[in-house]
Amino acid sequence: MQGTRFSLAIFAAVAALTLAGCGEEKKPEPAVAAAPPPPPPLVVKLGHVGPLTGGIAHLGKDNENGARLAVDEANAKGLTLGGKKVKLELVTEDDQADPKVGTTVAQKLVDAKVVGVIGHLNSGVSIPASAIYNQAAIPMISGSSTNPQLTEQGFKNVFRVVGRDDQQGPAIASYLASEVKPKTVAVIDDATAYGEGLANEVEKTLKAAGIKVLPREKGTDKTTDFMAILTKLKGKKPNAVFYGGMDATGGPLLKQARELGIKAVFAFGDGACTDKMKELAGDAAEGLLCSQAGLPVQAANKKFLDAYKAKFNVEPILYAPFTYDAANLIIAAMKKADSPDPAKYLPELAKISYEGASGKIEFDDKGDRKDAEMTIFTMKGGKIEPIAIIKSGKTIKFEDFLKTAEAAAPAAPAPEAPKAAAEPVKAAEPAKK
Amino acid sequence: MDIFLQQIINGLTLGSVYAIVALGYTMVYGIIQLINFAHGELVMIGAMVAFSVINALAGTHLPPVLIVFIGILAAIPVCMLVGYAMERIAYRPLRSAPRLAPLITAIGISIILQHLALLVWSRNPLAFPQIIPFVTFPIGGAIISGVQIAIILTSVLMMGALTFMVYRTKLGIAMRATSQNPLVAGLMGIDIDRIISFTFIVGAALAAVAGVMVGTYYGIAHYGMGSLLGMKAFSAAVLGGIGNLAGAMLGGILLGIVEALGAGYIGDLTNNVFGSNYQDVFAFMVLIGVLVFRPSGLLGERVGDRA
Amino acid sequence: MNIFAKILTKARSKWVGVALIALALIALPFALAAAGTAWVRIANLAILFAFLALGLNIVVGFAGLLDLGYIAFYGVGAYVYALLASPHFNLHLPFWVILPIGALVACVFGVLLGAPTLKLRGDYLAIVTLGFGEIVRIFLNNLSRPFNLTNGPQGISRIDPFSFGAFDFSRNETIAGLAFSGPIKYYYLLLALLLLAIVVNLRLQHSRIGRAWEAIREDEIAARAMGINTTRIKLLAFAMGASFGGVAGGMFAAIQGFISPESFVLVESVMVLSMVVLGGMGNVWGVVLGAVLLTFVPELLRDWVQPVQQSLFGKTIIEPEVIRMLLFGLALVLMMLFRPAGLLPSAIRKRELTKQK
């Protein structure tokens, strides 16, 4: 314990010095006009938090990259707030996708005096952590938490740029209803907050469309044996099956279903909307349907895609465009308010209208994104490909969507890089086959 | 009817795997009265090693059955080694300690093995490469796949071999003697330590094969697959009467069928108040029920309250 | 006269020591807050786990019954609190009403589990309790239909924090020039509850019941022969341990504000067990030490291990979470092998666990 105390004391000292340093910079510096080096810029900290270790660390890293890109771009361009040069700094924390760890690291971000938080990834972590940011009056924008409860808490500082489960669920369900036209649908979930939440929304929409939904079947997030459930379903002969869960369980489910001779159409949520399905289910994965909240990565703003690839040397995986937008939203709101003070820029953030990598962003009263787009994918030749975009309840074929996007692209406000904006959106390539 | 038959086939396949794993528990328990909590992790290690080898060989043009066979052959010695080390390091020094001590180390070993496997193979599940063509045979309105037949046959074969070894060979006689009374067995010239190590090694080999079977069946293996499987297999061993070889086999197959029928029919029977979401509960209910009402299990003669 | 003075000085030096420790404990959250309020939160978790470990200590340490499903009682307590103090059923009872209810409900669960299984001993009991823990979790996860009792895997959010009238434990405020953040206020409350738990544990240990537990642990048959009603006494251990778990669960729910079944998995049971084993089964102070160590060390590791690996290898090879789990596993194995009576062994337990036949 001695050692612990001691290191804590050092901590305290370092923290105190840092704070003192920040305080000094804020003071006006009248006398040293003659000194040639410009005053050091005011450091403004933004927080990013998501799982950087654990089962979905790759998604957490993807999110972090998105936010980092936005911060670096803003720094390169130069940011001046309230007449002072500002340097943004991204403070990152690892919440391990665990609610208990989530609240601790949320507190660490508050302690570090960040002015805004991008995160968390999982809804189960975002919800308890949001209370801590709320108390510290720090805005948080999640780029990937889809559980409706997050923004139903009445916190004024909580936003998300991704669609909610009750937007994604209806999207895939209405696509199923209109394109596959099933009489009976079986709904299965993995008994997690994510899987069950999504499955509930799908069931609601299907029932509203007058489609018969079989009693819910459930596995767990570790289940690999779906034989008993599937055999039971086989006897009930559904035309389509929806599974709310991740690819690690969705793959075996699909494989076993085909092995049992079930011919129904299989549909999944974004957790199982990955190329990994091909690896886990083999040829059985061909032709599956799945949905992702928001526009597909391929349809994200070309400028973002290029910059991301140039900087990190990898393709963005899933939510990077959203965290990129989240960080840019905070920066844009700070610019409008001309202040990094959360109390001043929060009202600007709430009423912002912003053209981001994932499309146009405006928030409603709860902090949810207005009119969030959903994308439907199918598995073709071992790769998932977008086939339709769903916006405001309307289904638009992906090719048509790209055409309108191309037409709109030059008008998109990206004034600092007109060249990039003028180029047609490259994502058309895979869709053209 | 064909759905019912299909569920029985599913249950039989799953039950065969449980039976093989349960044999490992029952042998170790029979000989040193220890619940080897880490036994399930041996199943996991077996599956992971075999999958690594099979994935590495998938690109070659060897016949698929040979590739799987090589995978099993690679998994068995690794599991044997881990099983042996486990006994030497964590259980042998505590053989005369109070009951609680080896039980606690067993839990510790289980956690350590799981996370070492995580370090070696990462968290991402390994997928079984598509090398075996999928074939099915119709039987009375239901279908049975080639893999299912292979699993059932292999487990029958292994049960036979194990029974032969325990009842017809010298080593088997030594094992039974040790389990009856280690002190007297020692006096009769049996090397108790060696016999106990040997029991662990045989159990580990069985676990390795079970791991490959279950992995191939579902096409997926990951670092956390062992614990629940182990728990269920243990329940199967208790159901049959722990310490009793035939009991473990019977218990395993019964539990497999109970799970399949339970998940398949409980929803319809209870008007969907309960459903397949309680699938994992059945094994534990069986376990608690048996221990409370018939601690000796179906075929066992041991009593449940030995300290 | 001389002897009198000696006793007085001895007593005084003891009291000086106690006073110093008390002062340190009172000042601690402010020292921690200087390093970051996050550390106060971690201290609160340590106290919570110490409380929980003390409950398990009654079952495992005093009575010698290995309970691997202990987290179920913690979960039951947490859900009782969440259901009675959240918008889920629109109930908002004060915490001093709910905590006893939570203790009582957990106690009933303890008896429900204990009554049929206590004739089993040792390893069988361990595995039955493990199964029981899983069953409770699966039910918590699935009781959202047909009637929505637990809200299933979605969990329950917006749980009320502890409050006395207008005094809300989660709010920041300044009293007498000192900044009391929410976590600091919780710290004092938790510390008070922990002290109470320690006193109860110590009193129990040396009571008739405590000695009866000890007798059962050492030799059940002999204990029965001495006229101890073993079933009843063992059931009492289960019930008391469970009540502790229930109270700890209620505190957890209030501090977190959100709970879901994934917080009550088997690994958590093993973690609490590791704390008890590391500190020394049956030793109250050892158990508290074990809980504090196993909460703080992984947190410190998180801050040091990753940067060190990053600078050495350029990437993280062993994740802190994996190190944490390996620590738990190693604590269980190494303690049993080399120091079976724990870091701070209790005298009797030491004799028992190191005896050779």
Side-chain angles (χ1 to χ4, degrees):
Chain A
M1 266 328 273
Q2 283 284 325
T4 312
R5 289 256 174 78
F6 182 64
S7 55
L8 284 179
I10 291 178
F11 247 135
V14 172
L17 280 177
T18 324
L19 287 182
C22 288
E24 262 171 38
E25 282 154 22
K26 275 176 199 150
K27 277 182 220 153
E29 296 154 6
V32 277
L42 176 68
V43 174
V44 168
K45 290 180 186 164
L46 287 183
H48 175 270
V49 55
L52 300 178
T53 55
I56 49 173
H58 57 294
L59 294 181
K61 191 73 198 163
D62 187 44
N63 279 10
E64 187 191 307
N65 286 348
R68 187 172 298 282
L69 180 62
V71 166
D72 288 357
E73 282 180 356
N75 278 337
K77 224 184 312 166
L79 186 63
T80 313
L81 294 176
K84 286 193 75 93
K85 272 198 77 65
V86 165
K87 186 174 179 298
L88 292 174
E89 185 189 324
L90 192 69
V91 182
T92 66
E93 285 288 349
D94 174 15
D95 64 22
Q96 297 176 8
D98 175 343
K100 219 168 25 196
V101 180
T103 49
T104 306
V105 294
Q107 185 68 56
K108 281 191 181 166
L109 286 176
V110 172
D111 292 345
K113 304 230 182 308
V114 297
V115 300
V117 173
I118 299 125
H120 300 223
L121 198 156
N122 310 68
S123 302
V125 186
S126 288
I127 295 171
S130 63
I132 292 172
Y133 303 126
N134 182 53
Q135 209 176 38
I138 296 173
M140 90 170 230
I141 308 182
S142 174
S144 48
S145 294
T146 54
N147 190 319
Q149 277 191 62
L150 174 62
T151 46
E152 298 287 344
Q153 300 177 96
F155 293 154
K156 285 285 159 229
N157 63 317
V158 176
F159 302 89
R160 72 176 121 209
V161 284
V162 71
R164 296 159 48 128
D165 285 342
D166 49 8
Q167 294 169 317
Q168 188 192 160
I172 180 84
S174 54
Y175 187 83
L176 262 184
S178 63
E179 303 296 315
V180 181
K181 301 191 176 59
K183 281 200 195 66
T184 317
V185 178
V187 177
I188 310 174
D189 71 58
D190 68 354
T192 64
Y194 160 75
E196 196 208 40
L198 192 59
N200 287 349
E201 299 302 334
V202 167
E203 180 169 334
K204 239 185 264 169
T205 311
L206 288 172
K207 277 185 173 158
I211 293 164
K212 193 182 161 209
V213 178
L214 294 172
R216 183 74 56 87
E217 300 291 339
K218 278 169 187 282
T220 70
D221 55 348
K222 293 181 192 70
T223 301
T224 45
D225 173 35
F226 289 99
M227 295 297 274
I229 293 174
L230 288 167
T231 301
K232 176 184 175 188
L233 286 185
K234 195 184 175 191
K236 316 246 170 192
K237 301 193 172 52
N239 312 95
V241 178
F242 177 82
Y243 178 68
M246 306 303 287
D247 47 14
T249 47
L253 171 88
L254 186 51
K255 178 170 177 267
Q256 288 163 36
R258 297 295 185 230
E259 286 176 4
L260 278 170
I262 297 177
K263 300 272 188 296
V265 172
F266 272 75
F268 301 85
D270 54 353
C273 206
T274 64
D275 290 340
K276 186 119 185 136
M277 289 296 281
K278 165 73 184 169
E279 192 187 320
L280 291 173
D283 294 336
E286 210 58 15
L288 65 80
L289 294 175
C290 61
S291 63
Q292 284 182 5
L295 287 176
V297 170
Q298 298 97 309
N301 185 305
K302 160 112 169 84
K303 179 169 134 317
F304 163 74
L305 274 182
D306 290 347
Y308 189 101
K309 271 186 269 183
K311 186 165 178 65
F312 303 108
N313 219 3
V314 285
E315 301 266 344
I317 306 173
L318 196 54
Y319 295 116
F322 295 94
T323 49
Y324 174 76
D325 282 351
N328 274 329
L329 279 167
I330 294 181
I331 296 167
M334 287 196 295
K335 271 192 214 158
K336 276 204 172 148
D338 201 22
S339 162
D341 182 2
K344 294 207 178 104
Y345 83 78
L346 181 60
E348 295 296 336
L349 186 59
K351 62 180 191 218
I352 207 162
S353 173
Y354 181 82
E355 200 69 40
S358 63
K360 189 180 169 132
I361 301 171
E362 282 173 6
F363 293 116
D364 65 10
D365 295 343
K366 289 176 184 157
D368 289 322
R369 185 169 173 175
K370 278 187 196 160
D371 255 351
E373 290 99 345
M374 300 289 149
T375 312
I376 309 293
F377 291 79
T378 188
M379 178 73 78
K380 205 177 258 173
K383 284 247 172 290
I384 55 159
E385 285 182 7
I387 46 172
I389 305 283
I390 296 187
K391 190 176 163 83
S392 327
K394 270 183 294 205
T395 308
I396 311 159
K397 281 222 169 88
F398 189 62
E399 294 103 63
D400 300 341
F401 178 81
L402 281 180
K403 270 178 220 149
T404 46
E406 275 171 41
E416 66 282 354
K419 240 191 281 171
E423 274 171 41
V425 180
K426 199 188 170 191
E429 268 171 32
K432 277 178 196 154
K433 290 161 242 172
Chain B
M1 191 57 207
D2 53 341
I3 293 297
F4 181 75
L5 186 62
Q6 189 69 56
Q7 293 288 24
I8 296 283
I9 293 173
N10 297 341
L12 214 56
T13 317
L14 189 58
S16 307
V17 178
Y18 287 159
I20 298 295
V21 184
L23 282 174
Y25 278 105
T26 237
M27 279 167 48
V28 167
Y29 192 92
I31 210 152
I32 51 170
Q33 284 80 48
L34 165 77
I35 298 176
N36 181 8
F37 264 102
H39 191 65
E41 310 308 333
L42 289 174
V43 178
M44 177 269 295
I45 292 174
M48 298 303 269
V49 170
F51 267 44
S52 305
V53 171
I54 291 171
N55 270 314
L57 291 178
T60 63
H61 296 288
L62 295 171
V65 177
L66 185 66
I67 293 182
V68 175
F69 195 65
I70 295 175
I72 296 179
L73 285 188
I76 289 177
V78 175
C79 284
M80 283 176 159
L81 200 70
V82 176
Y84 176 75
M86 199 150 83
E87 197 269 333
R88 277 308 289 269
I89 295 168
Y91 303 147
R92 187 176 294 182
L94 297 173
R95 210 175 284 157
S96 61
R99 291 245 57 81
L100 220 54
L103 209 54
I104 290 174
T105 50
I107 298 166
I109 289 285
S110 164
I111 294 177
I112 292 174
L113 285 180
Q114 223 180 85
H115 288 85
L116 287 181
L118 195 161
L119 285 179
V120 175
W121 286 287
S122 91
R123 277 171 214 264
N124 297 326
L126 292 179
F128 191 84
Q130 282 197 305
I131 48 172
I132 302 180
F134 188 72
V135 283
T136 54
F137 307 93
I139 123 173
I143 51 171
I144 184 164
S145 72
V147 177
Q148 285 177 317
I149 294 175
I151 287 175
I152 296 171
L153 280 184
T154 313
S155 61
V156 169
L157 213 69
M158 286 176 56
M159 290 180 211
L162 190 72
T163 313
F164 177 82
M165 193 200 78
V166 170
Y167 288 98
R168 290 282 180 274
T169 64
K170 246 186 169 156
L171 213 52
I173 294 170
M175 280 171 73
R176 283 186 293 143
T178 311
S179 126
Q180 287 288 329
N181 190 332
L183 199 70
V184 177
L187 291 176
M188 307 301 272
I190 294 170
D191 185 346
I192 307 289
D193 283 346
R194 252 190 60 206
I195 293 299
I196 292 176
S197 287
F198 180 73
T199 309
F200 267 88
I201 289 172
V202 172
L206 290 175
V209 178
V212 182
M213 294 199 305
V214 73
T216 314
Y217 187 30
Y218 302 127
I220 188 170
H222 58 94
Y223 79 99
M225 67 188 276
S227 20
L228 190 62
L229 185 71
M231 274 301 301
K232 289 183 175 173
F234 175 77
S235 307
V238 172
L239 174 63
I242 195 145
N244 183 315
L245 291 186
M249 302 176 203
L250 179 69
I253 289 174
L254 275 181
L255 185 66
I257 291 176
V258 165
E259 278 201 350
L261 293 182
Y265 291 98
I266 191 170
D268 293 346
L269 289 177
T270 61
N271 204 13
N272 293 313
V273 172
F274 291 99
S276 49
N277 38 353
Y278 293 95
Q279 187 174 10
D280 289 339
V281 168
F282 301 136
F284 296 124
M285 292 279 193
V286 166
L287 175 73
I288 294 177
V290 170
L291 282 177
V292 170
F293 297 109
R294 196 184 154 81
S296 54
L298 295 177
L299 300 182
E301 60 278 5
R302 286 168 189 280
V303 282
D305 66 352
R306 56 182 307 155
Chain C
M1 209 45 210
N2 217 352
I3 303 165
F4 234 72
K6 224 180 218 168
I7 292 172
L8 254 179
T9 31
K10 206 175 169 192
R12 200 189 301 146
S13 65
K14 190 182 165 194
W15 281 112
V16 167
V18 169
L20 277 179
I21 291 173
L23 212 66
L25 283 176
I26 289 172
L28 182 66
F30 290 98
L32 289 176
T37 310
W39 288 101
V40 184
R41 276 182 193 273
I42 293 165
N44 287 352
L45 272 185
I47 299 178
L48 192 66
F49 279 124
F51 192 95
L52 199 57
L54 282 176
L56 184 61
N57 183 45
I58 296 179
V59 186
V60 180
F62 291 170
L65 308 163
L66 186 51
D67 183 350
L68 292 180
Y70 187 64
I71 213 72
F73 307 124
Y74 180 62
V76 166
Y79 267 88
V80 166
Y81 187 90
L83 293 178
L84 295 180
S86 77
H88 184 60
F89 288 136
N90 238 333
L91 290 171
H92 297 280
L93 301 184
F95 77 93
W96 65 85
V97 175
I98 308 177
L99 286 188
I101 297 178
L104 197 72
V105 174
C107 174
V108 170
F109 270 81
V111 173
L112 276 181
L113 164 65
T117 54
L118 278 177
K119 65 174 176 179
L120 308 168
R121 257 194 294 178
D123 25 26
Y124 278 100
L125 182 72
I127 209 132
V128 167
T129 50
L130 194 159
F132 173 81
E134 282 296 284
I135 290 175
V136 167
R137 185 185 61 81
I138 293 173
F139 270 86
L140 287 178
N141 206 20
N142 286 303
L143 282 180
S144 54
R145 53 181 66 200
F147 166 70
N148 187 3
L149 180 66
T150 63
N151 208 23
Q154 308 295 324
I156 297 176
S157 61
R158 278 177 290 168
I159 302 169
D160 301 344
F162 286 166
S163 60
F164 274 117
F167 185 80
D168 185 329
F169 277 91
S170 69
R171 217 173 291 141
N172 301 333
E173 53 196 311
T174 311
I175 302 170
L178 280 173
F180 283 83
S181 62
I184 292 184
K185 286 195 275 183
Y186 268 120
Y187 171 87
Y188 290 118
L189 181 69
L190 289 172
L191 191 66
L193 284 169
L194 178 67
L195 287 178
L196 193 70
I198 290 174
V199 171
V200 170
N201 250 266
L202 286 173
R203 301 286 297 181
L204 269 177
Q205 191 172 13
H206 302 297
S207 70
R208 267 175 70 106
I209 300 168
R211 288 198 301 274
W213 282 334
E214 207 176 291
I216 289 174
R217 189 181 72 202
E218 300 295 314
D219 189 337
E220 183 164 351
I221 296 161
R224 199 178 302 149
M226 301 303 285
I228 295 172
N229 184 341
T230 53
T231 316
R232 232 178 58 199
I233 291 289
K234 284 203 284 187
L235 206 54
L236 196 63
F238 250 86
M240 295 205 107
S243 316
F244 270 76
V247 174
M251 298 195 287
F252 175 71
I255 295 175
Q256 280 281 317
F258 169 84
I259 55 163
S260 66
E262 63 179 325
S263 294
F264 311 107
V265 290
L266 176 63
V267 172
E268 303 277 317
S269 283
V270 173
M271 183 180 74
V272 181
L273 181 68
S274 313
M275 290 167 177
V276 174
V277 169
L278 180 71
M281 288 183 280
N283 180 303
V284 173
W285 301 109
V287 168
V288 173
L289 177 69
V292 170
L293 278 182
L294 282 185
T295 317
F296 266 97
V297 171
E299 283 302 327
L300 289 173
L301 281 178
R302 256 158 57 83
D303 279 11
W304 299 109
V305 166
Q306 222 161 347
V308 166
Q309 290 189 54
Q310 287 283 357
S311 59
L312 281 183
F313 313 110
K315 59 179 180 179
T316 307
I317 294 172
I318 304 183
E319 297 172 355
E321 175 60 16
V322 176
I323 295 182
R324 194 175 82 108
M325 293 313 294
L326 287 175
L327 262 180
F328 291 154
L330 282 174
L332 291 178
V333 175
L334 296 181
M335 292 311 285
M336 279 298 120
L337 288 180
F338 300 112
R339 211 180 156 87
L343 290 178
L344 291 180
S346 77
I348 305 157
R349 207 76 176 115
K350 188 175 184 177
R351 195 170 66 222
E352 185 206 348
L353 279 163
T354 47
K355 76 179 169 191
Q356 293 289 322
K357 268 179 201 161

